[in-house]
Amino acid sequence: MRLTVLGSGTTVPDPDRGPCGLLLQVDGHAWLIDGGSGTVQRCARAGVDPRTLDGGVYSHHHPDHCADLVPLLFAMRVGPPQRSRPYPIWAGQGFAQYFERLRAAHGTWIDPGGGVPITELSLDEEASAALAPGVTLRTRPANHSASALHLRFEAHGRAVVFSGDTGPSDGLVQLARGADLLVCECAGPDDAPLEGHLTPSQVAAIAAAARPEELWLTHFYPMVDPQRAVATVAETGVPVRRARDLDSLELPRLTPTRS
Ligand SMILES: [Zn+2]
Ligand SMILES: [Zn+2]
């Protein structure tokens, strides 16, 4: 199981950090987790031809998390390799309606060859789905926009959790318990919190309660001091650092690598 950061930034343009995206790889399969602008290119940079992805999982459909869906599906129509299989998507309730609007605008340009089956997950309670045999997605509703989820991926007895965008959330604490890695947003500073997002102190509270093996902070807006944020969360004793684009963690743990 490998998790790679494709975008550690936000919607604010940054030369080194793209909007949100992650790449999950298990046993030769690969899934895109969120996908803001530029994630298609960074997926290729991470060594995976995005046209060969096995599917996508979305925490929510704010543009900084899903803007590359149209370019991704359009790219899948261009070979080689010629794609003729579906591109399944898992997301919160409401995503299918969102996708229907994209399809109304783009028609078959965004059909990868086998359609885009969408599995919607509950916005009210914990839900789960199998991405592939032995690869499980568990979700809980996040404290953000109406359709936002926390995402937990399990395979081979390992688990990685992605907060998505969220304010303080007991659901995230519950989902992150026992995780090998929590990738957690930290969008606002403690002295000027952003509604529907976390501050360093709030991330620290989640880390202290859930005790993941490791925590990577992501999604900092420019007013957050990254070093102070890392120091605040580090007080919990949970190993923490700021994620960078193309950071990658292999589980079981070898040495975290940076490309
Ligand atoms: Zn959002
Ligand atoms: Zn966001």
Side-chain angles (χ1 to χ4, degrees), residues 59-65 144-145 148 164-166 185 196-197 219:
S59 67
H60 65 305
H61 55 280
H62 276 161
D64 57 322
H65 295 254
H144 186 62
S145 64
D165 283 358
T166 188
E185 75 119 283
H197 289 285
H219 215 46

Side-chain angles (χ1 to χ4, degrees), residues 6 19-24 30-43 50 53-74 76 83 87-99 102 110 112 116-123 127 129 131 137-142 144-153 161-165 175:
L6 299 181
C20 192
L22 300 166
L23 177 68
L24 176 73
W31 295 270
L32 184 65
I33 315 304
D34 282 1
S37 57
T39 36
V40 167
Q41 183 265 346
R42 289 190 298 280
C43 183
L53 286 165
D54 292 283
V57 183
Y58 287 90
S59 67
H60 65 305
H61 55 280
H62 276 161
D64 57 322
H65 295 254
C66 69
D68 252 12
L69 180 55
V70 169
L72 173 65
L73 295 173
F74 192 46
M76 286 177 178
R83 186 181 178 109
Y87 183 73
I89 288 176
W90 294 262
Q93 291 165 327
F95 197 93
Q97 184 184 35
Y98 162 73
F99 189 75
L102 292 180
I110 58 170
V116 183
I118 294 172
T119 302
E120 291 192 335
L121 298 145
S122 174
L123 298 174
L131 300 188
L137 164 66
R138 293 187 196 287
T139 66
R140 280 181 177 261
H144 186 62
S145 64
S147 62
L149 296 172
H150 308 303
L151 309 173
R152 176 183 172 112
F153 301 93
V161 175
F162 174 47
S163 65
D165 283 358
L175 215 55

